Amino acid sequence: MRILVHGAGRFGRMVAAQFARQAPQFEDVAIVDPVENVLRDLPRNVRQAVSPARETPDVVILTASAVPSEARLAMATTRAPIEKFWDLERQHNLPLMRSLIPWLKSSQWKLLLIATNPVHEWVNAFEVICPGRSVAGIGTAFDDRRIRFLSAAMLPGEERVVLDHLKVVGAHGNAMGISGGRVPRAVVNTARWMSNALSVAFVDSPAEISNTWWANVAIAPLVSGISGKSTRTHLVVPLTFEGVHAAAGVDVTVSGLDVRAEPPLHFSDEERQELI
């Protein structure tokens, strides 16, 4: 299986390294970046791709971001709300994503994974642009773990109830908890606020901390699943709920190139309306 990562920043390199460690399941792992001088000292068994148009990947992972690092850091320093980050990402990443459309439409990839923010919006867009092809977003595994375990910590003695019944749906900044009414809404909302605050804090975190979190929570389970070991994780995927079609983060099972959504089945009336 051939893997192409588009974006050689910290996250892109870490993603490429995780795939490269799973040889021989992944026979070729390449990374490309619009800025060539960042393609130095690549992870072991990861090669530099000269141009995406020359590649024939089975899986494409978009990790590039056009947001200036100083702009993102300035927002993190002032503890800006996460919605402000998405405004910044939209402003800078829309031209980047537009530039990739001709290549993505002509390439014969089988699975497109998107880590560029706002992830759920790009999944929505590319599902329309590339109809009938498999598109998913990376990143909501962070929200899922943080919200569920923070909620459990706020209900001593009921931790198991929370972990068994609370499901997280949505994307960074607007994730929600669904438990069929078993977990108090105020608890879930508090955990969601804390999760969003951690997302902002990670912008200027030490590399060791962010890489450990990214690798263990978001990427390793996904890579394991794509390698052929059926694995449960959390991704942004297109869903239809009561006639509304949109991308949202939910539990999924990944087995090879098959990504199968496992949306929640039990809702309170309030949760159902919020999800719609």
Side-chain angles (χ1 to χ4, degrees):
M1 193 181 300
R2 297 177 300 276
I3 308 296
L4 178 63
V5 178
H6 189 285
R10 281 199 303 173
F11 189 75
R13 287 168 176 265
M14 190 273 301
V15 170
Q18 289 290 315
F19 276 102
R21 291 191 184 105
Q22 291 284 345
Q25 290 94 332
F26 304 110
E27 63 195 59
D28 180 60
V29 180
I31 192 166
V32 66
D33 195 285
V35 183
E36 291 190 9
N37 63 6
V38 302
L39 290 166
R40 300 172 182 166
D41 302 320
L42 293 179
R44 184 179 179 184
N45 296 326
V46 175
R47 67 174 177 85
Q48 176 182 346
V50 177
S51 166
R54 298 184 185 180
E55 301 294 322
T56 57
D58 299 297
V59 180
V60 174
I61 304 105
L62 302 182
T63 64
S65 175
V67 178
S69 57
E70 61 272 15
R72 189 183 282 117
L73 183 59
M75 294 190 73
T77 301
T78 61
R79 296 185 181 179
I82 198 167
E83 293 83 3
K84 294 295 184 182
F85 279 87
W86 299 158
D87 288 341
L88 182 70
E89 299 279 352
R90 290 184 191 99
Q91 175 188 347
H92 289 275
N93 288 333
L94 180 56
L96 168 65
M97 295 306 231
R98 279 178 172 158
S99 72
L100 298 177
I101 289 173
W103 162 58
L104 288 171
K105 290 179 72 173
S106 62
S107 178
Q108 298 303 305
W109 50 267
K110 300 178 180 67
L111 174 62
L112 173 63
L113 297 170
I114 302 174
T116 304
N117 283 312
V119 169
H120 60 293
E121 295 181 8
W122 304 130
V123 173
N124 274 324
F126 281 105
E127 192 208 5
V128 174
I129 293 167
C130 303
R133 306 177 76 178
S134 186
V135 182
I138 304 172
T140 52
F142 304 147
D143 302 283
D144 174 62
R145 286 297 182 96
R146 289 193 294 239
I147 292 172
R148 290 174 62 241
F149 281 85
L150 286 168
S151 294
M154 285 187 276
L155 290 173
E158 298 184 58
E159 293 90 347
R160 191 72 258 170
V161 173
V162 176
L163 296 177
D164 285 345
H165 296 289
L166 181 62
K167 308 296 181 184
V168 174
V169 177
H172 293 317
N174 65 359
M176 62 172 289
I178 293 175
S179 67
R182 293 180 177 89
V183 181
R185 188 182 183 88
V187 169
V188 177
N189 287 344
T190 302
R192 185 178 78 166
W193 180 87
M194 294 170 72
S195 177
N196 290 341
L198 282 170
S199 285
V200 173
F202 263 85
V203 169
D204 62 345
S205 65
E208 179 185 12
I209 292 173
S210 55
N211 288 352
T212 299
W213 179 248
W214 290 338
N216 292 340
V217 177
I219 304 305
L222 176 61
V223 171
S224 178
I226 294 174
S227 73
K229 303 171 185 174
S230 183
T231 305
R232 188 180 178 91
T233 184
H234 202 274
L235 297 176
V236 176
V237 293
L239 291 174
T240 299
F241 181 73
E242 295 196 1
V244 180
H245 187 75
V250 292
D251 290 343
V252 300
T253 297
V254 181
S255 184
L257 296 176
D258 180 41
V259 178
R260 188 160 301 177
E262 299 181 7
L265 299 176
H266 305 289
F267 307 84
S268 68
D269 290 341
E270 190 175 22
E271 290 167 349
R272 182 182 299 276
Q273 188 61 42
E274 184 178 358
L275 180 57
I276 293 172

